[in-house]
Structures are given as structure tokens and as C-alpha cells.
Amino acid sequence: MKKLFFGLALAAGTLAFAQETTTNTSALKKDGQPVRFGIKAGGNSAYFSEQKFGMNSQKLGFHAGAFVNIPISKQFSLQPEVLYNQMGARDVISSTPIANGTVKVQDKVTMNYISVPLMVQMRPVDKFYIEAGPEFSYFINGKNKGDVTTTTTTGGITTTTTQSHTEDIDKDQINKFNFGLGLGLGYDITSNIGINARYVNSLTKIDKSRPAADNNNRVFQLGLNYKF
């Protein structure tokens, strides 16, 4: 945990240093746009690629962190971010046959990451922008919480028992690094406050033992940002 907080502090310090350095450089330009440092937070709605998109599969979570917006030209800017980012899914279902019946597991999965998006933003008008870019994430920890339902049939009589469970995700089974591509848009409500929506589709697999095509994260993000 100490390493996690140290890493976040180091990343935030790096962004602040980048802001100061780039601001000093921009001051030499007659038409230079200011570099803006900020914070952001909001809600996540995540699911796994193996699931059908719908309300039942969406796991609600949140994201929060810091960013620096570095203008490249009047219309384009680069925005690196460092975020605490929750992903996962709801209604993750598996079924295993046993003698005279089945065992069904239905879980809500929470997966916590440190994410570093690198977004390129384009502004067709002053207050509105669209963005796209890669996102690099590192898995911290996670949890499975749900029900195990056992159904057996003996002598024509069917018996069903349900037991709740909560367990930590085995880190050895999870791919620690997650790579995704993000696409989003945003609007500046004022010169300091803005709203942003983004979709991130991961390309790397979650479970090491399964193929990536049906085993990656997908997440919608909606949040507010504040620029200093």
C-alpha cells in the first residue's frame, strides 16, 4: 500500500513538473496557450467482453485522479492522466455439472487498477472537444462477491440450496498489465469546470488462462474535472 501511495505521489509530481516546465516554454511564444493542471472524478459502468451489454451486466464503480492538459496547437492538446480506476462486471455466471445436479455461481466482480490514459484532444469549437488515445493500467486487487446455488435431484425430488460468498481475486491468475483504447468527448462548463464522457475497450486479457477475445475489460466513464 505504501508503494501505491508513493507511486501516485510520484506521478502527480511528474505531472506538476511537466505543467511548470511547459508553461515556462509556452511563455516564450506570443500565441502560446496555457498548460492546465487539474483533478477529475466520476462514475464507471463496466462489464466483461464475454457478456452481452445490458443493465444486468453493468458493474458500477468510480474513477478519480489528476491530469495535465498540454496544448500542442490552438485546436489540439495532449492530456496524460493518472487515475484510480474501478472495473469489473455483474452477473458473471458459471455452471458446473455434478452427480445428480449442477452448481451455479453468480458473481459481482470488482477489479481495482491504477490507469494512465494518454489522450489527444481536438477542439472543433472553443468549449467542446473529442479525444482518443491509449490507456495503460496496472491491476492492484479485486474481489468476487455473489451466490453459489447447488441443485440436485434424487428419487424425483429436486433440492436447491444457495450460499453467499466473498473472496479476494487470486492475483496469480490475473494479467497485471492492461492495455486499452479510449474514445471520448467533453465540454467546458466554465474556464475551470468541465464534464467528460469516455469509453475504454481493453485489448489485453484479464485471466491468463483464457483467450483475450472473450476475456477483457470494457468500461464507460462519466465525470467532472476541475482545472486550476
Side-chain angles (χ1 to χ4, degrees), residues 32-208:
Q33 299 294 317
V35 173
R36 304 288 298 274
F37 182 79
I39 55 176
K40 64 183 301 185
N44 288 359
S45 180
Y47 67 107
F48 295 151
S49 58
E50 64 184 296
Q51 299 175 294
K52 290 183 179 180
F53 175 76
M55 293 299 295
N56 291 335
S57 63
Q58 302 295 300
K59 163 68 175 63
L60 300 181
F62 72 94
H63 66 274
F67 66 89
V68 59
N69 189 273
I70 306 170
I72 301 172
S73 67
K74 187 175 181 179
Q75 287 186 308
F76 289 90
S77 62
L78 176 66
Q79 182 163 298
E81 305 173 359
V82 180
L83 305 174
Y84 180 86
N85 200 13
Q86 283 191 331
M87 301 188 217
R90 195 174 63 174
D91 278 2
V92 180
I93 300 172
S94 62
S95 183
T96 304
I98 59 174
N100 301 323
T102 59
V103 175
K104 179 182 177 181
V105 181
Q106 186 170 3
D107 278 339
K108 178 173 69 174
V109 181
T110 300
M111 306 187 73
N112 301 314
Y113 291 84
I114 294 297
S115 298
V116 181
L118 299 174
M119 295 289 119
V120 176
Q121 297 180 344
M122 191 273 285
R123 292 179 177 270
V125 294
D126 287 343
K127 292 183 176 294
F128 176 78
Y129 63 86
I130 57 176
E131 62 179 10
E135 178 178 280
F136 306 90
S137 299
Y138 182 80
F139 177 72
I140 307 171
N141 54 41
K143 191 177 292 291
N144 293 324
K145 183 178 181 181
D147 298 319
V148 179
T149 303
T150 303
T151 303
T152 57
T153 302
T154 304
I157 299 175
T158 300
T159 303
T160 300
T161 59
T162 300
Q163 183 176 3
S164 299
H165 71 105
T166 300
E167 59 187 14
D168 293 332
I169 293 177
D170 185 356
K171 293 183 180 181
D172 293 334
Q173 295 182 355
I174 301 299
N175 189 11
K176 298 293 192 304
F177 290 96
N178 184 76
F179 173 74
L181 296 176
L183 180 65
L185 51 85
Y187 181 79
D188 295 329
I189 301 172
T190 69
S191 61
N192 297 104
I193 300 173
I195 188 170
N196 174 259
R198 184 182 298 167
Y199 170 73
V200 181
N201 187 2
S202 297
L203 302 179
T204 51
K205 59 186 179 181
I206 303 169
D207 190 329
K208 295 178 180 178

